[in-house]
Amino acid sequence: MSASDAASRAEHDSVALIDLVAVRQNVARFVSLADGVRVMTVVKANGYGHGAVQVARAALEGGATWLGVADLAEALELRNAGITQPVLAWLHETDENFVAALEAGIDIGVSDIGQLASLSRAQRLAVGAPASVHLKLDTGLGRNGAGEPSWGALFDEARRLELAGHLTVRGVFSHLSNANDDEDARQLERLHRGIESARLAGLQPQVRHLASTAAALRLPATWLDLLRVGIGAYGLSPLDDVPSVELGLRPAMTLRSTIVAVAPSSDADFSARSGIVPLGYGDGVPPQAAGRIHVTGDGGRLLVTRIESDHLVVEPVSAGADAARGDAVTLFGDPAAGVTSADDWARAADTINYEIVTRLGARVPREYAS
Amino acid sequence: MSALDPAADPTPTGRDAAIDLGVFRTNVSILAARAVGGPLVIDMTADAYGHGLVPLARVAAESGADILSVRDRSDVESIADAGISIDVHCWHTSRFAIPPAGSGIAAFGFGWELTDGAPAGIVPVMTLSAPVLSVKRVPEGHGVSYGLVYRAARETSLALVPLGYADGIPRGATGSGWMAINGRQYPIAGRIAMDQVVLDVGDAAVEPGDRAVAFGPGVEAEPTAADWAAHSASTAGEILARIGRRVPRRYIDREVSR
């Protein structure tokens, strides 16, 4: 074997297969559900680990008309890939330099007056149309967004800059806690109050948005003008007690690897062997799941007994099962295909499916099926 | 401008993983002095536990390490392509393809898992920080983050920090994690989210732009990676290895006197 063959083998013993057909269908499911309300697909954090640009393109094909990201670097990554549709970014540094973002036509989520001032400065330096702004209101989540006592001043300053030709307030938005229906209803009521106050200040926001995946599925009153769909686009459920399939969604990511070596089993009852799989916590596999999660190999069901920095160890769980060198192993994928799910990993690691896919490391190659 | 010249290094304004090659050099030297009668093997798997393989491999080679241990053949090539001359063992493509027993991550500043800690003089190499994006005054009872599992015990200020589980802050540390700002410790309020956490800073004079230190050597009130491991049923190695791609690594080289 040549060195390059060896390198190739090492690189491709593990792969995250990303099913872009599933992304398209999942997004289309929300477009159909929304019945005329527009859909934004959220591709922050490298598309929840799936690949931001590839997911963005599939989402647009599925009927999304907006893309959402956290920061400007993520927004510019989409533009640099040639994506021209509306992109909203809402998490900014103090004294953020918005010039490149404005020239790239990124919509800016604004949480305070300081950001309006930064935008106004950038607008004078940038070539292009006035900044397109979505004012973010904190209606109860306590993260970013303007708190209610500061809404009046924020709206007045935004209107002043709008009249000066520096910006246009295109949207007003907020984010739900999903704590319970009563809390979500209170947040919706506060957002309506904020929008009314913005209108009284002379603003005319056309795009009002609040719902992310959970509210898109459960609370039509929160849909307003736009749904922000993140986890659902990837085919995963935001609801603890409802699996993807019951929501009409299909998980897009399948994580596969290979047993590259075998060693004597620690379990004397079966004369089985344990297998070494070259994926570890350095690749994003959560070590908390060791001893608590089964995966599917060519030779049957396998218990993951240890998770180290660069590999994990699996052992057959029944006398009929085996772990042999070269066997393919599916760590997680679409449970409808009979394999372990990201939800299973989340339960085993005491977390949520979002963290399982988002933290998959950059060293695991992504392969796209479209 | 040299990436290794701290004077020429711009002050970071965003998320930042500062990796102190001077500290790493001293750690390796301490281990080399103890490795009497056998080669000093440094575990460089998982991109040198998130520190960046090539810069760390160069310092290790210069500071007394005999062998570097990696998983992938491509890691061996990266080290060779950088002109670094040292033995690199790659278990994955070796004849037996069995990973070596954990040699520990003392070179990165942390003790062996099942023993009573790192050798004397060993110091953590990486410091993870981010700017406070906003500070917001909220009344007693105000909820914070998903599920509103946190409620302000009294009127307080909430500081937003753009480090979440996508960046490597373990979501499992919700309810116990904390960070330091200006040498004081503040608890994370509510659930750790994908892109951000909120700190309850009480009545402290915390301003947007102040740096929140998620972990470091633990000398200026900030937690260490081992603290995060304790909060999330994990190990310091995992905390370091899983720092995400949105966090740029910045190499500094401070004089170390111990």
Side-chain angles (χ1 to χ4, degrees):
Chain A
M1 189 192 304
S2 75
S4 67
D5 286 346
S8 172
R9 187 174 73 97
E11 302 285 328
H12 296 287
D13 280 332
S14 301
V15 63
L17 298 165
I18 311 297
D19 184 351
L20 296 176
V21 176
V23 172
R24 270 199 297 278
Q25 290 174 347
N26 293 331
V27 171
R29 158 114 180 90
F30 286 94
V31 171
S32 153
L33 175 79
D35 193 25
V37 171
R38 283 166 284 178
V39 171
M40 167 189 286
T41 299
V42 180
V43 296
K44 62 194 170 90
N46 193 30
Y48 291 35
H50 294 64
V53 169
Q54 293 86 350
V55 168
R57 290 202 181 107
L60 294 167
E61 288 163 10
T65 52
W66 281 80
L67 299 168
V69 293
D71 60 39
L72 297 183
E74 294 174 330
L76 293 171
E77 183 187 356
L78 300 176
R79 283 287 182 266
N80 291 338
I83 292 170
T84 57
Q85 281 83 354
V87 174
L88 175 65
W90 53 70
L91 197 63
H92 314 297
E93 290 175 26
T94 310
D95 300 324
E96 184 85 62
N97 182 348
F98 289 104
V99 173
L102 294 185
E103 292 186 338
I106 306 300
D107 280 57
I108 309 293
V110 164
S111 290
D112 58 52
I113 281 188
Q115 288 173 351
L116 283 179
S118 299
L119 265 180
S120 172
R121 274 196 304 278
Q123 182 57 37
R124 274 172 262 151
L125 300 170
V127 178
S132 182
V133 167
H134 297 231
L135 297 175
K136 182 156 192 193
L137 309 185
D138 181 1
T139 54
L141 190 62
R143 303 198 314 193
N144 73 349
E148 188 161 357
S150 64
W151 289 354
L154 181 70
F155 297 149
D156 288 345
E157 178 64 4
R159 179 59 182 155
R160 190 182 72 77
L161 293 170
E162 201 171 61
L163 289 169
H166 294 188
L167 55 84
T168 303
V169 175
R170 190 179 194 180
V172 172
F173 72 121
S174 189
H175 194 49
L176 291 169
S177 74
N178 300 134
N180 55 58
D181 289 356
D182 286 349
E183 286 290 353
D184 289 350
R186 269 196 285 279
Q187 285 195 257
L188 174 62
E189 187 188 312
R190 280 193 208 105
L191 179 60
H192 278 307
R193 200 156 69 227
I195 291 164
E196 184 54 29
S197 163
R199 291 207 170 112
L200 287 172
L203 301 170
Q204 295 171 300
Q206 304 297 307
V207 189
R208 305 162 302 154
H209 46 117
L210 178 62
S212 55
T213 299
L217 293 165
R218 297 185 55 253
L219 302 171
T222 64
W223 290 359
L224 306 177
D225 302 313
L226 180 73
L227 306 179
R228 297 189 308 265
V229 176
I231 197 72
Y234 305 95
L236 299 178
S237 172
L239 311 170
D240 288 340
D241 47 354
V242 187
S244 302
V245 65
E246 289 181 26
L247 301 172
L249 302 173
R250 194 151 60 87
M253 183 189 287
T254 298
L255 181 60
R256 287 221 179 110
S257 192
T258 310
I259 294 174
V260 295
V262 291
S265 172
S266 62
D267 185 343
D269 290 347
F270 309 127
S271 53
R273 301 169 292 182
S274 59
I276 311 287
V277 174
L279 276 178
Y281 60 72
D283 304 294
V285 180
Q288 296 87 350
R292 302 168 70 181
I293 189 83
H294 293 88
V295 296
T296 312
D298 286 345
R301 256 160 69 85
L302 305 164
L303 175 67
V304 177
T305 57
R306 284 202 343 244
I307 299 172
E308 304 289 348
S309 69
D310 62 349
H311 69 279
L312 55 83
V313 181
V314 291
E315 291 191 8
V317 289
S318 65
D322 191 21
R325 184 168 177 172
D327 281 3
V329 177
T330 301
L331 275 80
F332 62 80
D334 181 355
V339 297
T340 305
S341 65
D343 295 345
D344 294 329
W345 277 90
R347 273 188 289 276
D350 293 323
T351 187
I352 52 177
N353 51 23
Y354 302 62
E355 189 178 25
I356 299 300
V357 292
T358 301
R359 290 184 71 182
L360 188 69
R363 289 162 72 88
V364 180
R366 272 67 166 175
E367 279 182 17
Y368 294 90
S370 54
Chain B
M1 182 172 72
S2 163
L4 300 186
D5 179 356
D9 222 14
T11 307
T13 60
R15 304 178 193 99
D16 179 56
I19 291 152
D20 193 327
L21 297 178
V23 169
F24 184 67
R25 182 179 298 114
T26 305
N27 290 347
V28 174
S29 301
I30 289 170
L31 296 173
R34 291 165 52 103
V36 178
L40 173 60
V41 182
I42 308 274
D43 179 357
M44 301 289 269
T45 58
D47 198 30
Y49 285 85
H51 293 68
L53 178 65
V54 167
L56 281 276
R58 189 183 309 282
V59 172
E62 292 165 357
S63 309
D66 299 299
I67 297 169
L68 305 182
S69 168
V70 300
R71 177 182 67 196
D72 296 333
R73 190 77 216 162
S74 57
D75 290 337
V76 180
E77 290 164 4
S78 298
I79 292 169
D81 290 349
I84 300 162
S85 169
I86 189 168
D87 277 350
V88 183
H89 286 188
C90 170
W91 66 261
H92 183 191
T93 51
S94 75
R95 200 169 137 220
F96 301 105
I98 301 288
S103 51
I105 55 166
F108 304 100
F110 293 90
W112 283 274
E113 221 175 304
L114 300 177
T115 65
D116 55 359
I122 292 288
V123 172
V125 172
M126 187 194 294
T127 299
L128 176 67
S129 69
V132 171
L133 298 187
S134 66
V135 181
K136 190 157 55 183
R137 200 71 184 160
V138 298
E140 177 186 339
H142 198 292
V144 185
S145 195
Y146 296 116
L148 304 179
V149 293
Y150 187 93
R151 297 276 180 179
R154 57 185 183 84
E155 182 179 321
T156 192
S157 292
L158 302 176
L160 185 72
V161 177
L163 288 171
Y165 57 76
D167 306 301
I169 302 297
R171 186 177 174 278
T174 293
S176 48
W178 47 278
M179 295 185 185
I181 303 171
N182 301 327
R184 285 187 57 187
Q185 303 174 350
Y186 301 106
I188 290 176
R191 289 209 182 123
I192 293 167
M194 188 180 293
D195 314 300
Q196 54 198 297
V197 295
V198 174
L199 304 180
D200 186 338
V201 300
D203 299 325
V206 170
E207 302 280 344
D210 287 353
R211 295 215 59 95
V213 184
F215 62 75
V219 295
E220 288 172 0
E222 81 279 9
T224 66
D227 290 322
W228 286 100
H231 298 324
S232 59
S234 187
T235 60
E238 190 226 353
I239 300 299
L240 297 167
R242 288 181 70 183
I243 300 301
R245 72 200 278 276
R246 284 194 303 210
V247 182
R249 273 61 167 178
R250 182 172 60 96
Y251 295 94
I252 60 176
D253 198 343
R254 286 196 282 256
E255 287 296 318
V256 177
S257 55
R258 295 179 200 168

